[in-house]
Amino acid sequence: VGGGRAVPASGRVRRRGRRTGTGGLAQRGPGRGPAGLGFLGYVVTLRTRTLVTIGVTLVGLVAALYVISQIVVVGGFADQEELDARREVARVIGALDDDLSHLQGTAADWAIWDDTYEYVTNGDPRYYSSNLAGDVPMASNDLSLMAFVNSWGETVFVKWYDRGKAASAPVPAGLGEHLAPGKPLSTHSSPNSRISGLILLPEGPLTVVSMPILKSDGSGPVAGALVMGRMLDTHELAALSQTTLISLTAYRVDDPNLPRDFADAMPALAAPREVAVQPIDDGRLGGYTMLADVYGKPAVLLRAELPRTTLTRGQGTVQLFMIGMVLVGLVFGLVILALLERLVMSRLLRLSAGVERIAQTRKPDARVEEAGGDELGRLARDIIRMLDALAESSERGRQSEARFQAVFKTALDPFMVFDDSGKIVEANPAACKLLGLSEQSVLGHTFGHFLPEPSKAAMQDLWARTLAQGGGWGETHIMLPDGQHRDIEFYTRPNVLPGNHFVAVRDVTDRKLLEGRLEYQAFHDSLTGLPNRTLFLQRLSTVIERSRRGHGMVALLFLDLDDFKVINDSLGHKAGDRLLMSVSERLLTCIRPGDMVARLGGDEFTVLVDSLNDVRDAERVAGRIVESVKRPFDLDGQQVFISTSIGIALSVTGSDRPDDLLRNADVAMYEAKQRGKSRYAIFDQSMNVRAWKRLQTEIDLRRALDKGEFVVYYQPVVRLDTRRVAEVEALVRWQHPQRGLVPPAEFIPVAEETGLIVDLGLWVLEQSCRQMRQWQHALGNSAPAAIGVNLSARQFKDPALLSDIGRVLDDTGLDARCLNLEITESVGMDDPDSAGAVLHALRDMGVSLTLDDFGTGYSALSHLRRFPINGLKIDGSFVRDMGVRAEDTAIVHALVAFARTLKLKVAAEGVETAEQAAYLHALGCDRGQGYYFARPVGPAQMEVFLKAGRLPFEVVEPALRTG
Ligand code: C2E
Ligand code: CA
Ligand code: CA
């Protein structure tokens, strides 16, 4: 019954088992049947399998045994049986032979006897009466036939005896033919000849013996043949059966009623005395042989019967053995099943029920029962160990999950987990914040779902790409539902768990903004917003490249505002900046849309004009700019005038390097300034030569300073009332090895540009102070009261100025009150506060300060009160035209009056005539300086002037090359 149901049950169970295996415990549905049922299915199967296995083995074993016993045992018995049968037949033949030889002996007795010899030869009746008469001789010798045939073949005597009736009987008719003359039985050619065997008579087979009749001494000649015979009848066979204890049957070969088994055996019996064995029926076995007659022809078939006891007994034994075997097998199988049930199945069921229970309750600390030290016990312990490991790993997993959740929840950057279809499975608070939605409304949607249409596709792309690349980094621009634009970065790690794609998002909007701003700053001027030098040069190389490919020529306009420094110094930096912005705006109005205006720094601008067919186009732009800049600028209601000088460099072939072009334009601009400013100049190579010269000067200057090629000349400043030297101004010259004495106008600007003036000025200061000290030593009271040293604005910005001056005074030992520093109005105008501080410090040291070139500046007057100035020096240009231009006379007058109100000493430069000296004196000017009194001279000459006292003093000034 169990087996019949087992197949579907096990099939169902197996399917269920497989699903459990793939889906895991967690996915097992609640609709599942009772826990034990599944295992019952397995039990039945296992049992059936054992049963079937044992059964099949048993059947196979029994069948094999059966076959083997059939072949070996029964076959062996059959062989034995045949052997027995042959032996029995042989015994029967032996018994027949015994009979025959017995008959032969009897015949020999009679044949080798003189009486017989006589009887056959002569026919003696006595012999007949004493030996042959009556039935006695036949009966006593148990004969059926006795016959004497003489040597002529005449039958001398013949007698037939019926042994059954024990009486003489007539001689059978068929006998005569066998005894006829010449027949084997009747004829003996030699005394040793003997015939014995069978002859077939119609009455039945007859055993016959024929002997030659000889004399008693065995000698011949052969008198005839003595023939004796005995019928082989039922009686004879019974006797034979009795002696051999074998049941015998005989048939004539020619018997028409020959039984079937005889006929079957006949073919195997071709030769006489051969034996054939075959079963007669189930109980008997027949041994057959054939007896031939005296002529050698088959005559009689003889069968010996044997009961088949051996075989039947053998078969019985085998059957018994087989039954025994089956019984043993059945018992064995049952024992095994019982053992299986007791030792394995019941415990396995318990174990599986335990596991099932754990699986259903899903309590990690539940355990199965553990028993025994065998394999099942071990299995139970293994399960327990496995449960321990599971519990431990699930605890670890729980902790890891908790840690992950903590990180995930608190992370400031958005994190999301997506499934294969791109839907959000998890999103941390930062991610929800980014989207501006709650977690509930985020989960289950794709990220693109929250984005407006244009961002969706980009998102899709990014997602597909990062997935295809097995993760990575991506960047995109999205618009959020509230319309906000954000730049975001993505880091994706697909399949962190199968089908779980991890995405870290970062909102990089602010960084992008900053990057953009920084990039803008890197390429733009902060004040005007125009492209800066870097961007300009980039653009320049691009358009040069383009012009090489036949897009017309490129013109680079290099602008420098004329005297912008003055504006900056007089109106202040803020005003200067505003002016620069206004200029940049105005420049933009002068160019075509595609052209570029850039600010290189300071008051330098560049304009790039490309795709030109004609130089005149560039000139037109430059002219337009010059004119445009000339128009007044309005700075907070104040009108300001400025102009610009422009250098134009052209790239015609497109082979120029941007830097070269820029430098060329710069050179041309310098040239435009040289030519009188507020104009443009187109670069040509000759300009380069001049520029190169300037550069050469710079190099030479540096070398000259090292080599000591500079010399200081001195020019006296004379008191106009006494005409005595009040002080001396130090004026530097360059004793050039080739060019001779070079005036400061030719190198001071270059020295100022390059900063070399700081070192040069210091050198002049030191030289002058030392000279002054020397005069003080040498001349005593005749020495000038002070030495005037010119100070460039550039020097004023040198932070070491104060300490340098202090050091020089210390080194030379000159009293600070004997040093008068001449500064121009531009000094400290860009930073009045710090300049004021430096000037105050100098005053505190005791140094006097004089404002040089007074009257040429702009707004010096406003600063005069703030700066601790001791004196003024009216610029020579006013003095020169004094009396010629009423205006200038008025200015000098005003300047002197101004100085006097401020209680400042006032001196005039460039006094070349006595009239000028007299007039200045009349105006109230204290001092004068100029060629009228003395030209700048070397120290030795100066000493002569000083000793002379009053000036002018007739001397010949050393040749001074000018220009
Ligand atoms: P400055 O300070 O105004 O010097 C006066 C200039 O006027 C000198 O020119 C002087 O030779 C010239 N001069 C004097 N009397 C007359 C006159 O009657 N008629 C004419 N036409 N000119 C007269 P110099 O020596 O060529 O110097 C030119 C300028 O070079 C100076 O102008 C000064 O600004 C600057 N300089 C000279 N030496 C130094 C120096 O050591 N340091 C600095 N920073 N500048 C110096
Ligand atoms: Ca001066
Ligand atoms: Ca001056």
Side-chain angles (χ1 to χ4, degrees):
V1 171
R5 270 207 307 253
V7 177
S10 79
R12 196 167 59 233
V13 167
R14 196 162 294 165
R15 264 201 305 285
R16 187 179 292 159
R18 198 172 297 137
R19 193 183 60 209
T20 305
T22 51
L25 291 173
Q27 288 179 13
R28 191 183 287 176
R32 209 174 160 277
L37 210 134
F39 287 94
L40 195 71
Y42 271 115
V43 170
V44 172
T45 307
L46 206 57
R47 218 177 251 154
T48 311
R49 258 192 245 158
T50 316
L51 216 69
V52 166
T53 311
I54 291 174
V56 166
T57 313
L58 203 67
V59 168
L61 213 66
V62 168
L65 268 174
Y66 180 75
V67 169
I68 290 167
S69 65
Q70 280 300 313
I71 291 169
V72 177
V73 181
V74 180
F77 283 136
D79 286 353
Q80 185 59 46
E81 206 178 47
E82 190 181 326
L83 222 73
D84 285 352
R86 285 179 187 280
R87 214 173 23 242
E88 295 303 295
V89 173
R91 214 148 57 81
V92 171
I93 292 170
L96 277 174
D97 283 349
D98 281 355
D99 271 5
L100 210 57
S101 52
H102 187 71
L103 197 60
Q104 225 163 38
T106 310
D109 267 358
W110 285 70
I112 305 166
W113 185 20
D114 291 337
D115 291 353
T116 308
Y117 197 89
E118 267 304 312
Y119 173 69
V120 175
T121 317
N122 302 318
D124 183 359
R126 278 177 300 164
Y127 177 81
Y128 173 78
S129 55
S130 58
N131 293 304
L132 299 176
D135 292 336
V136 179
M138 297 299 275
S140 65
N141 288 304
D142 196 20
L143 294 175
S144 300
L145 167 73
M146 176 139 58
F148 294 83
V149 182
N150 67 15
S151 44
W152 293 278
E154 291 166 339
T155 303
V156 179
F157 169 81
V158 65
K159 189 163 186 166
W160 187 264
Y161 180 76
D162 188 340
R163 291 188 301 156
K165 293 183 182 146
S168 294
V171 175
L175 187 67
E177 96 182 65
H178 295 286
L179 296 179
K183 292 278 177 177
L185 285 181
S186 60
T187 314
H188 289 281
S189 45
S190 95
N192 296 322
S193 142
R194 274 149 183 70
I195 301 287
S196 63
L198 278 177
I199 54 169
L200 277 181
L201 296 178
E203 287 76 15
L206 179 74
T207 311
V208 288
V209 168
S210 170
M211 299 290 285
I213 299 172
L214 300 172
K215 292 181 185 144
S216 295
D217 59 356
S219 63
V222 176
L226 174 73
V227 180
M228 284 184 176
R230 196 179 286 153
M231 280 297 282
L232 186 60
D233 50 13
T234 29
H235 170 72
E236 184 65 27
L237 279 178
L240 199 57
S241 277
Q242 228 148 34
T243 47
T244 56
L245 295 172
I246 296 169
S247 121
L248 291 169
T249 318
Y251 277 93
R252 294 169 60 113
V253 174
D254 52 3
D255 192 330
N257 299 320
L258 197 64
R260 180 83 203 229
D261 62 309
F262 280 83
D264 287 346
M266 212 150 61
L269 304 172
R273 289 165 178 268
E274 264 181 22
V275 179
V277 178
Q278 66 182 42
I280 302 163
D281 51 40
D282 283 349
R284 293 176 301 156
L285 191 71
Y288 300 83
T289 192
M290 187 264 285
L291 302 177
D293 63 8
V294 293
Y295 311 108
K297 282 201 289 200
V300 171
L301 286 172
L302 191 68
R303 182 182 77 188
E305 257 178 55
L306 281 90
R308 306 190 76 176
T309 44
T310 324
L311 185 66
T312 2
R313 209 173 298 142
Q315 271 170 336
T317 313
V318 167
Q319 253 160 32
L320 259 177
F321 174 70
M322 295 312 296
I323 289 167
M325 279 305 294
V326 169
L327 280 176
V328 166
L330 281 177
V331 170
F332 189 68
L334 285 174
V335 166
I336 284 187
L337 276 181
L339 277 178
L340 189 72
E341 183 67 40
R342 233 184 84 78
L343 293 181
V344 181
M345 294 314 295
S346 55
R347 289 167 59 201
L348 198 60
L349 267 172
R350 268 206 305 282
L351 194 60
S352 61
V355 172
E356 180 77 14
R357 201 172 50 245
I358 292 166
Q360 272 193 339
T361 57
R362 297 178 66 188
K363 275 191 191 143
D365 51 349
R367 290 295 175 264
V368 294
E369 215 175 296
E370 175 200 341
D374 55 10
E375 290 86 337
L376 273 177
R378 209 156 63 214
L379 176 64
R381 279 193 299 281
D382 284 347
I383 290 174
I384 289 170
R385 254 208 308 282
M386 185 185 77
L387 286 169
D388 287 343
L390 278 176
E392 196 185 310
S393 93
S394 91
E395 174 59 19
R396 268 205 306 273
R398 208 182 51 71
Q399 287 176 359
S400 161
E401 168 71 14
R403 274 196 297 271
F404 165 75
Q405 281 298 338
V407 173
F408 190 72
K409 289 268 150 64
T410 49
L412 296 178
D413 281 335
F415 286 114
M416 280 171 276
V417 181
F418 292 83
D419 64 10
D420 279 330
S421 61
K423 293 218 173 79
I424 301 170
V425 188
E426 278 195 79
N428 72 345
C432 299
K433 197 176 144 205
L434 174 75
L435 293 170
L437 293 165
S438 72
E439 190 180 347
Q440 255 59 45
S441 37
V442 168
L443 297 185
H445 295 291
T446 61
F447 193 68
H449 174 82
F450 303 103
L451 306 177
E453 216 42 66
S455 297
K456 265 188 182 130
M459 199 69 236
Q460 201 61 43
D461 271 10
L462 188 76
W463 179 245
R465 205 172 57 240
T466 47
L467 273 192
Q469 289 166 354
W473 177 88
E475 212 180 23
T476 190
H477 180 82
I478 60 167
M479 191 167 87
L480 292 177
D482 60 0
Q484 256 192 70
H485 286 270
R486 311 302 296 175
D487 288 305
I488 51 171
E489 262 181 13
F490 273 81
Y491 301 86
T492 54
R493 289 230 10 228
N495 293 307
V496 171
L497 293 171
N500 276 243
H501 314 293
F502 202 81
V503 177
V505 183
R506 182 167 294 167
D507 185 343
V508 292
T509 312
D510 294 344
R511 201 190 71 200
K512 285 272 157 190
L513 265 174
L514 189 67
E515 276 173 8
R517 210 174 294 146
L518 284 177
E519 192 184 305
Y520 183 84
Q521 275 171 16
F523 290 107
H524 289 84
D525 169 46
S526 57
L527 178 66
T528 61
L530 290 175
N532 65 5
R533 185 189 201 94
T534 318
L535 185 55
F536 181 78
L537 286 175
Q538 271 180 17
R539 175 69 185 276
L540 182 58
S541 61
T542 314
V543 293
I544 290 175
E545 172 68 28
R546 224 169 39 202
S547 90
R548 181 156 61 228
R549 285 183 269 120
H551 285 263
M553 49 186 179
V554 177
L556 196 170
L557 277 57
F558 193 108
L559 283 78
D560 188 286
L561 300 183
D562 300 325
D563 303 313
F564 173 71
K565 210 165 123 52
V566 176
I567 304 269
N568 221 11
D569 291 348
S570 52
L571 301 181
H573 255 272
K574 289 212 178 82
D577 285 351
R578 273 204 302 283
L579 180 64
L580 286 174
M581 283 156 75
S582 304
V583 169
S584 77
E585 278 162 25
R586 205 169 280 181
L587 287 177
L588 287 170
T589 65
C590 300
I591 56 159
R592 296 175 304 177
D595 299 337
M596 182 187 257
V597 177
R599 181 176 173 223
L600 296 196
D603 57 349
E604 291 178 348
F605 295 87
T606 44
V607 177
L608 187 59
V609 190
D610 67 328
S611 308
L612 293 174
N613 300 317
D614 199 327
V615 190
R616 275 169 297 180
D617 293 338
E619 288 186 74
R620 261 195 292 279
V621 176
R624 211 158 53 221
I625 291 173
V626 168
E627 289 311 311
S628 166
V629 173
K630 261 190 197 163
R631 295 202 314 273
F633 288 90
D634 181 36
L635 296 185
D636 299 332
Q638 190 179 359
Q639 279 210 333
V640 177
F641 291 89
I642 190 113
S643 63
T644 182
S645 301
I646 302 177
I648 304 175
L650 292 156
S651 175
V652 183
T653 59
S655 58
D656 306 78
R657 291 212 315 252
D659 282 334
D660 291 345
L661 214 55
L662 191 65
R663 205 186 48 238
N664 290 349
D666 191 3
V667 168
M669 183 275 293
Y670 191 81
E671 198 72 19
K673 293 237 187 220
Q674 295 292 102
R675 289 180 194 167
K677 304 179 177 174
S678 195
R679 66 192 66 222
Y680 62 84
I682 300 176
F683 174 80
D684 66 66
Q685 285 303 326
S686 68
M687 293 177 182
N688 250 351
V689 176
R690 285 191 288 276
W692 185 84
K693 260 173 120 178
R694 209 163 54 239
L695 187 72
Q696 200 56 45
T697 308
E698 186 188 330
I699 296 165
D700 283 357
L701 270 178
R702 208 172 285 279
R703 200 196 53 224
L705 193 63
D706 292 341
K707 283 187 164 183
E709 287 178 6
F710 291 102
V711 290
V712 182
Y713 271 43
Y714 301 94
Q715 189 180 28
V717 179
V718 178
R719 283 179 65 112
L720 288 177
D721 52 351
T722 62
R723 298 294 173 91
R724 297 189 72 87
V725 177
E727 55 176 79
V728 173
E729 182 179 2
L731 295 161
V732 71
R733 266 103 186 90
W734 181 7
Q735 187 67 60
H736 195 278
Q738 281 91 40
R739 293 158 70 185
L741 207 58
V742 182
E746 285 188 33
F747 62 89
I748 289 287
V750 180
E752 280 179 336
E753 273 174 38
T754 57
L756 207 68
I757 192 70
V758 174
D759 290 341
L760 181 60
L762 192 64
W763 180 81
V764 172
L765 179 75
E766 198 172 344
Q767 199 66 24
S768 311
C769 291
R770 186 160 292 127
Q771 185 60 59
M772 182 62 186
R773 192 81 185 100
Q774 197 185 310
W775 282 326
Q776 283 174 343
H777 277 297
L779 303 172
N781 278 345
S782 303
I787 178 120
V789 177
N790 292 288
L791 218 58
S792 277
R794 177 74 176 74
Q795 277 174 279
F796 230 74
K797 284 179 186 154
D798 179 22
L801 181 69
L802 281 174
S803 61
D804 282 345
I805 292 172
R807 185 176 49 75
V808 169
L809 289 174
D810 279 357
D811 286 358
T812 56
L814 185 70
D815 188 342
R817 285 170 298 183
C818 300
L819 178 63
N820 179 25
L821 294 178
E822 296 189 9
I823 56 172
T824 60
E825 288 171 298
S826 65
V827 162
M829 295 308 169
D830 46 350
D831 189 358
D833 293 338
S834 70
V838 175
L839 291 174
H840 277 289
L842 285 171
R843 256 297 278 279
D844 292 347
M845 281 166 71
V847 177
S848 318
L849 298 168
T850 297
L851 203 57
D852 208 350
D853 303 338
F854 189 63
T856 56
Y858 265 84
S859 57
L861 297 179
S862 62
H863 292 298
L864 277 177
R865 289 174 207 279
R866 295 175 57 188
F867 291 162
I869 303 293
N870 303 85
L872 300 173
K873 220 179 211 183
I874 299 170
D875 193 69
S877 58
F878 302 109
V879 178
R880 196 187 317 127
D881 295 333
M882 208 168 48
V884 182
R885 285 167 40 145
E887 200 182 310
D888 286 328
T889 314
I891 287 175
V892 174
H893 186 83
L895 290 175
V896 172
F898 176 77
R900 292 189 76 85
T901 50
L902 290 177
K903 299 198 168 51
L904 297 173
K905 289 177 192 164
V906 58
E909 267 181 347
V911 183
E912 292 184 351
T913 63
E915 292 81 43
Q916 287 169 344
Y919 194 68
L920 284 165
H921 182 55
L923 282 177
C925 183
D926 305 321
R927 298 151 183 219
Q929 179 187 6
Y931 293 169
Y932 170 68
F933 302 109
R935 285 180 177 255
V937 293
Q941 184 62 44
M942 192 65 218
E943 208 170 309
V944 175
F945 290 154
L946 290 172
K947 283 177 183 161
R950 282 175 67 90
L951 286 175
F953 176 77
E954 283 308 313
V955 284
V956 181
E957 201 202 11
L960 181 70
R961 206 184 63 81
T962 53

